[in-house]
Amino acid sequence: MAGPRVIIIGAGVVGAALADEISARGWTNVTVVDQGPLPATGGSSSHAPGLVFQTNPSKTMTEMARYTVEKLCSLDVDGEPCFLQVGGLEVATSPERVKELQRRHGWLTSWGIESRLLSTEECVAQHPLVNPDKVLAGLHVPTDGLAKAVLAVEAQIRRATERGVRFLARHEVLDVRRADGEVTGVLTDQGEIPADIVVCCAGIWGPKIARMAGMNLPLTPLAHQLAWTGPVPALAGQTQEAVRPILRHQDADLYYRDRFDALGIGYYGHRPMPVSADDILSVGESEDMPSVLKFTEEDFEAAWSETQSLLPATKDAKVEEGINGLFSFTTDGLPLLGESPDLKGFWVAEAVWVTHSAGVGRAMAEWLVDGHCSSFDLHECDVNRFEPHQLSPEYVLARDCQNFVEVYDILHPLQPSGDPRPIRTSPFHTRQQELGAFFLEANGWERPQWYEANAGLVEGRCIPTPNDWAARYWSPIVGAEAQVTRETVAMYDMTALKRLEVSGPGAAAFLERLCTGKVAKSVGSVTYTLLLDHDGGIRSDITVARLAPDRFQVGANGNLDLDWFTRHLPADGTVQVRDITPGTCCVGLWGPRAREVLQPLTDADFSATGLKYFRARSAYIGSVPVTAMRLSYVGELGWELYTTADLGQKLWDTLWGAAEPLGGIVAGRGAFNSLRLEKGYRSFGTDMTYEHDPYEAGVGFAVKLDKDDFIGKAALERRRADVRRKLTCLTIEDPRAVVMGKEPVFNGDRAVGYVTSAAYGYTIGKGVAYAWLPVELAAPGTVVHIGYFDQSIEAVVAEEPLFDPAMSRLRG
């Protein structure tokens, strides 16, 4: 037996996949325990309908689904295949859904999955049961299909067993054992099993198991209706289990699959039916299987009526059986992967459906064995991504139920989440309401997108109206705010950005070890730098301000940065890290007249030489003590001004009282995004992620290879010489052709990349889009096309930055 002692809790599609993948990488000292029989353990895998649609707005989720398809296609059990690759068909019955299918086709093209948009007649040719009078268009993915979940479990169990993995059926986990902050094993009803690593793949029981390890898992099991018809006369004589594509009718929250001469019907249109993980019966207590609840016929009535409309042949059949099957839902619809922040060695791989199961198995195996995942970018799946309020029972239940309701809805990229809201408000919130702020949400923060008080600024300006999709959650006021920022001065609420304090006698050495740049500089220095993983991939871009010899303030991107810092703290206690965001706030004061606003309010010297670019100092603004950092994410002269939350409103009022007479305004996130793209500033998580290195992403200037060793340095030295793709600036002449991100980019008829973020540049008078492209197409002047719904939009590779390349405005 090789490798550490590993226990995997749960032998469903995820646990079996992980056992197979991790043993294939040489770790064979692995035990898989499950309370149920094998291979049908009684969890969600045992009743899953098996539909695998790879289409997803997330590149990571699509790639995990693609790997699942590829792997399951290669597996069989005694000659019986684990995957029936019949293809997938989504149909549109409304004009809005037709546009949505075009957008989804764009995602698939961006992520490298073959797909085709179909006419009504082509939809009928693919699935003859659909009603041509109802269907307007379709999206066909030939590699989609049906996963035989229980067979897939059995096939992967067999492979792992051959390598030495031990599977223990009917072993119910009663407790997770620990000592000195590390996991030591699990206690089952059959005895205790020691372990160095425990991975919870318990599915709908995940919150219960995680709680044994002191971990709060934001997951809710919800019942989802699945019904089976009796024989459909039109299908009489069908001897193969499935011959037609799996079918989605998302306008009515329905999906369908063949089962010989009958059909399976899945339905998301009913009321949410959440169940506590503690209330799910054990295998021994349930009549059928614990994950199957009694079918509620009254909830299915609308589904059956709509089915008969879409598939008229079902009028000659009846619903003969049905279940309310439990599946896992999360607050953002993404899996929960990673290690507990509090118990070393306790990992989770939860909220994973069959569609992504093998991909998650591979990701987790790489993460455990290699210390990082090389196949997939996992930043949006990391279980430690959540803010504290996002783990509250009220929040988790409300958002999980909302995600169930919205699972097939057409969702705009800027569409804010629903209740509970508002949750987090800055000290400026009341003032923003008075100025007519239109709020969107970011990590619970209410963040102004624009201010109705600025409506009068629109008159006389050239602010083109974008296309209908881009015009949602938009106002011409956005353009006016962007232009006025460049003309005079604007105040931006930057409170929502995560702020960490790193302190202690070892703080400087600690940050030097984690950062690509030199941060142990003079007090008052501010450094833009990167955090890398061990493979050289970008984990985050941050600013580090040295405020005292042993105290630094870090401008971070989210909770994963806090988690990364915490995991790397030295054991000797010489460094402390804390999140200071809730107790502080920030105003960005930016524009050519920013100094005219600020200098009369303080005795401190804010001249060009008194506080240079990328320097910080303490000062009083009126009666408010602030930490001022001369930074600007919009490419204009100005400062980030930080103070405590209790003094935030006073700071706002002081600045506003000085700015307004000079023609200053308050401005929102819409203007901010436009301005930062004109300046070429990257956004982590959108423009660059774990899968990209600094040289590809255009932030190689933040890497100092001549400094002492830092995490990722060795890998980066290898990657530096092999840059094959680049994050590239594109401009678009057509003012209505504003794209939103994730659209495919074409060179001729060949898809060569995808858009990351985009906006209209109100200063340069062009659309701006950043996109990942092959190096050979990243030369300025290269013409490419962006696939946007059913349009092909011409774009040109441009030199960056588009605005103020000499940096004269920032340094003035």
Side-chain angles (χ1 to χ4, degrees), residues 201-452:
C201 305
I204 54 177
W205 290 278
K208 183 177 180 180
I209 299 295
R211 199 160 53 246
M212 297 176 186
M215 189 176 182
N216 185 2
L217 204 64
L219 179 159
T220 303
L222 281 109
H224 158 59
Q225 290 200 303
L226 175 64
W228 298 96
T229 70
V232 179
L235 305 181
Q238 182 174 318
T239 57
Q240 297 181 58
E241 180 177 352
V243 297
R244 277 163 293 279
I246 54 176
L247 178 65
R248 278 205 280 206
H249 175 25
Q250 292 173 295
D251 282 325
D253 300 302
L254 286 161
Y255 64 78
Y256 304 91
R257 56 152 294 178
D258 287 7
R259 188 171 70 173
F260 301 102
D261 63 350
L263 291 175
I265 307 169
Y267 186 45
Y268 288 104
H270 56 78
R271 61 194 167 90
M273 302 183 221
V275 176
S276 169
D278 295 319
D279 294 335
I280 302 172
L281 298 177
S282 67
V283 171
E285 295 172 322
S286 61
E287 291 182 12
D288 184 5
M289 62 179 74
S291 61
V292 171
L293 305 181
K294 184 179 178 182
F295 186 60
T296 50
E297 294 182 9
E298 63 277 11
D299 289 304
F300 196 73
E301 290 176 358
W304 182 233
S305 176
E306 182 61 28
T307 294
Q308 291 175 314
S309 176
L310 180 73
L311 308 173
T314 57
K315 293 178 181 179
D316 299 322
K318 294 181 179 180
V319 174
E320 291 200 348
E321 56 181 308
I323 63 170
N324 287 6
L326 295 178
F327 288 96
S328 301
F329 281 79
T330 61
T331 56
D332 57 8
L334 293 165
L336 307 173
L337 312 179
E339 188 179 19
S340 163
D342 303 312
L343 182 59
K344 186 177 180 181
F346 182 81
W347 294 68
V348 299
E350 291 289 348
V352 181
W353 293 3
V354 175
T355 300
H356 309 100
S357 57
V360 166
R362 179 175 184 172
M364 293 298 297
E366 290 177 351
W367 200 350
L368 288 162
V369 175
D370 302 331
H372 59 86
C373 177
S374 57
S375 294
F376 311 102
D377 161 37
L378 297 182
H379 86 275
E380 60 187 2
C381 301
D382 193 314
V383 70
N384 297 296
R385 64 189 181 268
F386 300 105
E387 296 291 326
H389 75 274
Q390 294 173 320
L391 299 175
S392 70
E394 178 189 42
Y395 182 93
V396 171
L397 180 60
R399 290 293 169 89
D400 288 358
C401 288
Q402 181 179 338
N403 276 329
F404 177 89
V405 171
E406 293 179 345
V407 70
Y408 280 174
D409 286 1
I410 299 171
L411 301 176
H412 192 274
L414 295 179
Q415 186 167 323
S417 300
D419 292 335
R421 190 181 172 207
I423 296 178
R424 307 174 85 181
T425 57
S426 78
F428 322 133
H429 187 68
T430 299
R431 296 292 186 257
Q432 292 165 345
Q433 288 178 309
E434 292 168 354
L435 292 168
F438 180 85
F439 291 101
L440 298 180
E441 182 199 16
N443 286 325
W445 289 102
E446 294 296 315
R447 193 164 65 178
Q449 192 73 356
W450 69 81
Y451 293 85
E452 289 295 332

Side-chain angles (χ1 to χ4, degrees), residues 724-745:
R724 301 181 184 182
R725 58 184 175 179
K726 287 188 68 175
L727 184 62
T728 307
C729 179
L730 306 176
T731 58
I732 303 167
E733 291 291 340
D734 184 351
R736 280 188 53 80
V738 176
V739 300
M740 301 292 291
K742 303 186 178 181
E743 298 88 359
V745 180

Side-chain angles (χ1 to χ4, degrees), residues 657-694:
E660 189 178 22
L662 296 176
I665 62 168
V666 293
R669 189 72 181 185
F672 179 91
N673 194 51
S674 171
L675 296 169
R676 70 101 178 167
L677 285 172
E678 289 183 328
K679 194 60 184 169
Y681 292 146
R682 278 63 169 147
S683 174
F684 177 79
T686 303
D687 297 316
M688 55 190 186
T689 66
Y690 293 1
E691 68 174 299
H692 306 115
D693 70 45

Side-chain angles (χ1 to χ4, degrees), residues 469-609:
W469 185 249
R472 297 188 188 184
Y473 306 102
W474 175 87
S475 165
I477 297 171
V478 168
E481 290 178 356
Q483 291 177 356
V484 172
T485 302
R486 297 252 190 257
E487 295 164 359
T488 57
V489 63
M491 292 166 50
Y492 289 82
D493 181 359
M494 304 300 291
T495 302
L497 298 182
K498 175 78 88 176
R499 292 173 291 285
L500 308 177
E501 182 183 83
V502 180
S503 61
F510 168 75
L511 287 169
E512 283 289 319
R513 171 67 179 149
L514 266 63
C515 296
T516 62
K518 297 177 181 179
V519 298
K521 298 184 291 190
S522 63
V523 172
S525 65
V526 183
T527 305
Y528 173 82
T529 184
L530 307 173
L531 304 177
L532 302 183
D533 213 328
H534 294 276
D535 66 346
I538 301 170
R539 287 197 64 95
S540 190
D541 65 333
I542 61 175
T543 55
V544 179
R546 192 170 198 174
L547 302 183
D550 61 353
R551 181 167 59 88
F552 297 78
Q553 182 170 311
V554 174
N557 279 298
N559 216 53
L560 290 180
D561 293 344
L562 174 60
D563 181 67
W564 185 251
F565 279 8
T566 303
R567 290 183 188 281
H568 289 87
L569 285 172
D572 60 8
T574 58
V575 183
Q576 295 80 45
V577 176
R578 68 187 184 101
D579 183 359
I580 61 172
T581 313
T584 57
C585 59
C586 178
V587 176
L589 180 70
W590 295 312
R593 304 194 73 175
R595 189 173 283 120
E596 294 177 59
V597 173
L598 194 63
Q599 190 61 77
L601 301 175
T602 180
D603 292 334
D605 184 1
F606 278 89
S607 67
T609 55

Side-chain angles (χ1 to χ4, degrees), residues 159-171:
R159 284 160 47 122
T161 301
E162 289 174 357
R163 302 187 191 105
V165 174
R166 181 174 60 152
F167 286 82
L168 301 178
R170 300 193 181 280
H171 279 61

